[in-house]
């Protein structure tokens, strides 16, 4: 069965430091990959996605993620975090089923940026 | 403004008292879905709908019902709520599925006593 693993449930990091949030998935078929961000008391918002083409994808607020097919990973990185980046981050994988594409979410990583 | 609207945002109720959580989207999306979010488990899909009158079970459908009579609305029904259904619920919609990102509502926090 397909699954998504986010190894770190909580990541504290000082402001302006770099951060990496890890995501690994298990699937034997082609997938689409997403990172969503959830701010307190809000729904999830799309941060970035990988569908095809360049394996490095970027968001408008400085995050980037790299698709590594051999390691089945899609880690999220930011070179310098801000207080406003404090949120829950979810990795999601879309996998082809018989009649539709199923989206599987990881358990989430809580990023806390320390002033 | 493109949005997914859920109501209510918060609800405390008692075991066995039927309740409905409404979900409406204004983007003419075909695909809609309900998730529950529990600590350490991420989001788990309850039900999904690929279009009007087309619904199917997700990973955790027990104790829930849905309907899709109109494209914009996708209500979640708990016929006889139980305490294990206490959770944070999200409705989402997307233009299609697979390579299309989902748009989420702000969530409904249900407490079943």
């Amino acid at each position: 069965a397909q699954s998504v693993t986010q190894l770190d449930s909580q990541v504290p990091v000082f402001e302006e430091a770099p951060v990496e949030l890890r995501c690994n998935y298990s699937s034997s078929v082609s997938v689409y990959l997403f990172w969503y961000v959830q701010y307190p008391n809000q729904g999830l918002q799309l941060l970035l996605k990988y569908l095809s083409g360049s394996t490095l994808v970027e968001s408008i607020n400085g995050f980037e993620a790299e698709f590594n097919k051999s390691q089945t990973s899609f880690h999220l990185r930011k070179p310098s975090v801000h207080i406003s980046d404090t949120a829950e981050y979810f990795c999601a994988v879309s996998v082809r089923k018989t009649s539709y594409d199923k989206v599987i979410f990881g358990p989430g990583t809580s990023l806390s940026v320390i002033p | 403004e493109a949005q997914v609207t859920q109501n209510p945002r918060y609800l405390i109720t008692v075991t066995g008292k039927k309740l409905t959580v409404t979900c409406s989207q204004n983007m003419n999306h075909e695909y809609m879905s309900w998730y529950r979010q529990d600590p350490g488990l991420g989001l788990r899909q309850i039900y999904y709908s690929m279009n009007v009158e087309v619904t199917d079970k997700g990973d955790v459908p027990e104790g829930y019902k849905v309907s899709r009579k109109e494209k914009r609305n996708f209500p979640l029904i708990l016929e006889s709520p139980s305490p294990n259904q206490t959770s944070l619920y999200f409705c989402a919609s997307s233009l299609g599925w697979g390579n299309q990102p989902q748009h989420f509502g702000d969530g409904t926090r249900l407490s079943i006593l």
Side-chain angles (χ1 to χ4, degrees):
Chain A
Q2 292 84 9
S3 66
V4 178
T5 304
Q6 292 181 249
L7 290 173
D8 305 303
S9 60
Q10 296 184 343
V11 174
V13 61
F14 286 104
E15 191 174 14
E16 297 184 4
V19 70
E20 178 180 80
L21 306 183
R22 295 178 290 172
C23 173
N24 288 86
Y25 66 93
S26 64
S27 176
S28 58
V29 299
S30 296
V31 298
Y32 303 117
L33 298 158
F34 305 85
W35 274 100
Y36 287 86
V37 59
Q38 183 183 29
Y39 299 106
N41 297 315
Q42 295 185 24
L44 280 71
Q45 305 171 29
L46 180 70
L47 190 59
L48 45 77
K49 62 184 178 183
Y50 170 78
L51 304 180
S52 64
S54 172
T55 57
L56 184 66
V57 291
E58 299 177 353
S59 72
I60 58 174
N61 56 356
F63 282 95
E64 64 178 30
E66 186 162 18
F67 169 54
N68 188 318
K69 188 174 182 179
S70 62
Q71 297 186 3
T72 59
S73 67
F74 191 52
H75 301 331
L76 181 70
R77 303 183 184 94
K78 190 171 185 179
S80 175
V81 295
H82 303 288
I83 295 291
S84 59
D85 293 325
T86 294
E88 189 90 14
Y89 291 80
F90 292 93
C91 180
V93 172
S94 179
V95 180
R96 168 66 64 173
K97 291 289 190 180
T98 52
S99 59
Y100 79 109
D101 291 355
K102 182 177 177 62
V103 179
I104 303 167
F105 286 85
T109 296
S110 178
L111 175 63
S112 298
V113 180
I114 305 163
Chain B
E1 180 190 352
Q3 58 185 3
V4 178
T5 303
Q6 296 178 228
N7 280 297
R9 291 292 313 278
Y10 304 91
L11 179 63
I12 301 174
T13 188
V14 296
T15 299
K17 186 176 181 181
K18 180 180 179 180
L19 67 90
T20 299
V21 184
T22 63
C23 173
S24 181
Q25 50 93 5
N26 62 0
M27 296 166 278
N28 202 37
H29 284 169
E30 291 188 347
Y31 183 87
M32 297 187 74
S33 189
W34 275 104
Y35 296 90
R36 59 178 289 173
Q37 182 181 12
D38 300 291
L41 297 177
L43 275 74
R44 293 179 293 169
Q45 190 179 53
I46 302 171
Y47 269 94
Y48 66 94
S49 169
M50 290 189 280
N51 214 325
V52 176
E53 302 292 1
V54 181
T55 64
D56 206 349
K57 297 176 180 179
D59 297 315
V60 287
E62 293 77 22
Y64 305 95
K65 286 175 57 177
V66 294
S67 68
R68 187 93 182 272
K69 294 182 169 52
E70 305 166 281
K71 199 171 188 178
R72 62 183 293 126
N73 296 324
F74 191 44
L76 179 70
I77 303 157
L78 285 71
E79 293 271 4
S80 182
S82 62
N84 64 10
Q85 293 178 298
T86 292
S87 187
L88 180 58
Y89 291 85
F90 287 100
C91 179
S93 73
S94 62
L95 191 59
W97 54 91
N99 62 354
Q100 297 294 326
Q102 295 186 69
H103 299 257
F104 286 82
D106 285 338
T108 295
R109 186 167 292 281
L110 286 184
S111 294
I112 315 296
L113 305 178

